[in-house]
Amino acid sequence: MSDDRLIVALDLPNALQALKLTEVLGNDVSFYKIGLGMLTGGGLALANELKQEHGKRIFLDMKLFDIGATVESAVRGLAQFDLDFLTVHGDPHVVRAAKQGAAGSQTKILAVTILTSLDRADLDASLIRAGDIPDLVAERAARAFEAGADGVIASPQEAAMIRALPQAGDRLIVTPGVRPAGAALGDQKRVATPAQAVADGADHIVVGRPVWSAADPRAATRAILDELNG
């Protein structure tokens, strides 16, 4: 009953714990996100094992940011792992370099707009220019698409605005900050339910803590899948 619109984030301390979770979830989940926090805990080896031995789709969430030559080189190396999605920051020069690095591979480059854990006060503290977050997200998304991004990462609250952009076309919208009804927000500030995120234009939703912290992760996953298909 898997549905690859659901990406489960393996935000666990190490690859062994993450692999155990994938065994619990079994065939209910076909797509996993492996983030920066697990990079030193066996994350790349886990990505390769899940992809090559278990047939899972893999989203490597590295949020790369550097000068163009460094980003291009890093992406070229990572693309050898046959990844499905790889994130970079949405600055146009970063996106262009990442696309060059991914050339010849199947890896899709997703551009981060504004992290779903941030609000306007956070942006002010970082000296980000004034403006409402949805407008800034939509502008960053448009610029990332123009630079060649295959898709963007944005909160579900901005999905509809991004989907309406003339540059969006068939590009992907992937939304973290998704919480089933009644779930704790954790470190997320701009959230929506799975069904609402998809209704507003998201192609994929990313759910982590509500699955791996649940007393019964498989039941929690099936509840999300039921909501997506309800």
Side-chain angles (χ1 to χ4, degrees):
M1 62 179 293
S2 67
D3 182 335
D4 73 359
R5 290 179 297 176
L6 171 62
I7 301 175
V8 171
L10 297 174
D11 297 329
L12 295 162
N14 58 62
L16 289 177
Q17 291 185 39
L19 188 58
K20 288 179 181 178
L21 177 63
T22 68
E23 292 169 354
V24 168
L25 299 180
N27 292 329
D28 288 350
V29 176
S30 58
F31 212 150
Y32 286 102
K33 180 178 86 75
I34 296 172
L36 191 60
M38 201 191 289
L39 188 62
T40 59
L44 287 177
L46 175 64
N48 191 56
E49 180 173 348
L50 290 176
K51 182 79 176 181
Q52 303 302 327
E53 298 182 24
H54 301 279
K56 304 299 184 181
R57 299 184 71 190
I58 298 297
F59 167 12
L60 194 63
D61 187 20
M62 294 289 102
K63 300 183 180 70
L64 299 174
F65 181 87
D66 211 310
I67 64 171
T70 300
V71 170
E72 181 179 349
S73 177
V75 172
R76 183 174 295 113
L78 290 169
Q80 298 179 61
F81 287 85
D82 194 26
L83 306 166
D84 293 276
F85 296 167
L86 174 65
T87 52
V88 302
H89 276 269
D91 303 60
H93 82 277
V94 175
V95 174
R96 285 192 292 269
K99 285 294 292 180
Q100 291 173 348
S105 75
Q106 298 299 310
T107 301
K108 294 187 181 300
I109 299 299
L110 304 183
V112 176
T113 54
I114 294 176
L115 299 176
T116 54
S117 60
L118 303 182
D119 56 20
R120 186 61 251 183
D122 297 313
L123 300 189
D124 291 340
S126 299
L127 304 180
I128 304 298
R129 71 171 173 83
D132 293 334
I133 284 184
D135 294 332
L136 296 178
V137 168
E139 184 175 347
R140 280 181 63 81
R143 294 186 181 193
F145 290 146
E146 290 165 358
D150 298 296
V152 294
I153 308 292
S155 97
Q157 294 183 7
E158 293 103 34
M161 287 182 68
I162 294 171
R163 182 55 68 200
L165 291 171
Q167 299 94 334
D170 60 355
R171 309 293 179 91
L172 296 168
I173 300 174
V174 179
T175 57
V178 172
R179 291 289 183 266
L185 297 185
D187 55 3
Q188 303 293 346
K189 295 179 180 177
R190 302 184 342 265
V191 304
T193 63
Q196 188 62 54
V198 170
D200 286 343
D203 297 285
H204 299 274
I205 62 169
V206 180
V207 183
R209 187 176 289 108
V211 170
W212 53 254
S213 70
D216 186 341
R218 194 165 195 179
T221 297
R222 289 184 170 180
I224 295 168
L225 293 172
D226 286 344
E227 181 178 340
L228 286 176
N229 293 288

